[in-house]
């Protein structure tokens, strides 16, 4: 890791991550690389995932068009109780112990589309999305729905490799109570030109681990993502993750760490801004609303009993979202 980047907080190493080719017929090698990555740092690159670069460019273009709208227009799309739609700058506060303000980013959540009269729509994280008007952003909804669909298929393919890496049946996570009825969310993100200063507690996104199963992250070519492979080492050592054109950066989340009994790591990461606008798109996949996340049979033994108590997916997600987002009452003045 001789490469270094100077990006607003001094020089930092660039992390060397495993690259997994999703189109490869050598499943054994893919599983081996994934397992090694999940044991080491919980991050890896995913190549040849099947989503074309042309379509990715279209998705990023539509994302930019949304964030270029006037603030008033975006606030009309403010996130609802199911965490859909727009989140303003500073709305999310991921590391309150070390951040003086919230994250210097704005975002937009898009979940699984359900009609309001669907019984499942009453559950947290389910229900209809609220879309920008088609005359304001033509083709926007269609682009995002197609991107959501394609990402879901990619995420399920990665989950099958994860199952094999944990000595489970390849379709273990395809069960209805798991990923067949997944909570799947696209989050568009825009970091403005704010220069981060870790010493002063100013970040594009504060240090955090992701809440769910796995995350697929697409980014533009502006560096900013950093990972900390060992959160318990003091002082913490942060390494940059460089973008690779056409590749996803994939990381595992808290639920997979719980499922695997801590064998696979849900790693701390953050975004450090360097004064350039940065766009990224995260796709989060979690098990179904009613899934009980508990230690997998292949990850426990007499010498290694379960480290985490069982917990319902909805309970864990609700708490983490509530803890990291601003109370919506703060924005009442924008809707009056």
């Amino acid at each position: 890791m001789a490469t270094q980047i100077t990006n607003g907080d001094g020089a930092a190493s660039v992390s060397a991550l495993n690259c997994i080719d999703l189109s490869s017929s050598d499943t054994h090698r893919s599983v081996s690389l994934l397992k090694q990555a999940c044991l080491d740092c919980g991050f890896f690159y995913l190549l040849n995932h099947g989503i074309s670069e042309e379509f990715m460019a279209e998705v990023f273009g539509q994302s930019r068009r949304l964030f270029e709208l006037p603030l008033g227009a975006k606030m009309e799309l403010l996130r609802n109780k199911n965490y859909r739609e727009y989140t303003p700058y500073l709305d999310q506060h991921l590391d309150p112990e070390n951040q003086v303000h919230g994250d210097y980013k704005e975002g937009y959540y898009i979940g699984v589309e359900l009609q309001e009269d669907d019984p499942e729509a009453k559950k947290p994280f389910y229900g209809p999305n609220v879309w920008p008007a088609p005359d304001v952003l033509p083709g926007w909804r269609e682009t995002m729905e197609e991107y959501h669909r394609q990402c879901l298929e990619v995420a399920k393919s990665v989950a099958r490799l994860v199952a094999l890496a944990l000595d489970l049946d390849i379709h273990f996570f395809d069960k209805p109570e798991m990923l067949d009825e997944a909570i799947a969310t696209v989050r568009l993100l825009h970091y403005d030109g704010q220069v981060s200063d870790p010493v002063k507690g100013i970040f594009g996104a504060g240090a955090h681990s992701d809440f769910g199963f796995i995350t697929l992250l697409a980014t533009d070519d502006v560096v900013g993502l950093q990972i900390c492979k060992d959160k318990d080492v003091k002082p913490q050592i942060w390494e940059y993750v460089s973008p690779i054109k056409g590749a996803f950066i994939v990381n595992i989340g808290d639920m997979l760490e719980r499922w695997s009994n801590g064998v696979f790591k849900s790693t701390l990461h953050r975004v450090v801004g360097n004064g350039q606008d940065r766009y990224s798109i995260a796709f989060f996949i979690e098990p179904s609303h009613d899934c009980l996340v508990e230690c997998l049979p292949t990850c426990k033994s007499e010498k290694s009993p379960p480290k985490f108590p069982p917990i319902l997916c909805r309970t864990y997600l609700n708490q983490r979202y509530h803890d990291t987002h601003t109370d919506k009452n703060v924005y009442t003045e924008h809707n009056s």
Side-chain angles (χ1 to χ4, degrees), residues 211-228:
F211 311 154
F213 183 61
I214 57 173
T215 303
L216 310 177
L217 182 72
T219 77
D220 61 14
D221 59 1
V222 178
V223 295
L225 176 64
Q226 295 182 335
I227 63 174
C228 175

Side-chain angles (χ1 to χ4, degrees), residues 97-118:
E97 288 187 15
N98 296 300
Q99 284 180 274
V100 292
H101 305 295
D103 296 351
Y104 281 93
K105 68 176 191 287
E106 56 182 340
Y108 200 90
Y109 286 112
I110 303 164
V112 176
E113 180 73 16
L114 289 177
Q115 296 303 311
E116 206 155 356
D117 57 358
D118 189 313

Side-chain angles (χ1 to χ4, degrees), residues 157-168:
S157 295
V158 175
R160 293 177 190 121
L161 296 178
V162 170
L164 293 174
L166 292 170
D167 299 318
L168 299 164

Side-chain angles (χ1 to χ4, degrees), residues 45-61:
Y45 294 110
L46 190 69
L47 311 176
N48 298 319
H49 43 69
I51 302 179
S52 72
E53 289 189 27
E54 292 77 15
F55 184 55
M56 290 296 305
E58 180 184 342
V59 176
F60 271 93

Side-chain angles (χ1 to χ4, degrees), residues 47 66 90 97 115 122 127 136 148 191-192 222 232 269 310:
L47 311 176
L66 172 83
L90 309 181
E97 288 187 15
Q115 296 303 311
K122 295 180 173 59
V136 175
H148 188 287
Y191 300 84
D192 69 1
V222 178
D232 297 321
H269 51 286

Side-chain angles (χ1 to χ4, degrees), residues 81-83 92 109 123-126 178-179 181-185 209-215 253-256 258 284-291 293 311-325:
K81 60 183 176 63
N82 288 333
Y83 295 96
Q92 195 166 30
Y109 286 112
K123 296 179 178 179
F125 309 106
Y126 290 4
M178 293 186 179
L179 301 186
E181 298 176 2
I183 298 172
T185 307
S209 58
D210 285 353
F211 311 154
F213 183 61
I214 57 173
T215 303
D254 298 344
M255 288 189 193
L256 184 49
R258 295 176 76 101
F284 305 106
I285 186 168
E286 354 279 7
S288 77
H289 188 270
D290 297 316
C291 181
V293 180
I311 190 168
L312 286 170
C313 176
R314 66 170 181 264
T315 303
Y316 189 77
L317 285 182
N318 267 326
Q319 190 60 55
R320 290 300 304 272
Y321 273 82
H322 179 269
D323 289 347
T324 59
H325 284 81

Side-chain angles (χ1 to χ4, degrees), residues 248-260:
F248 280 122
I249 300 166
V250 183
N251 64 283
I252 66 174
D254 298 344
M255 288 189 193
L256 184 49
E257 180 171 352
R258 295 176 76 101
W259 253 326
S260 70

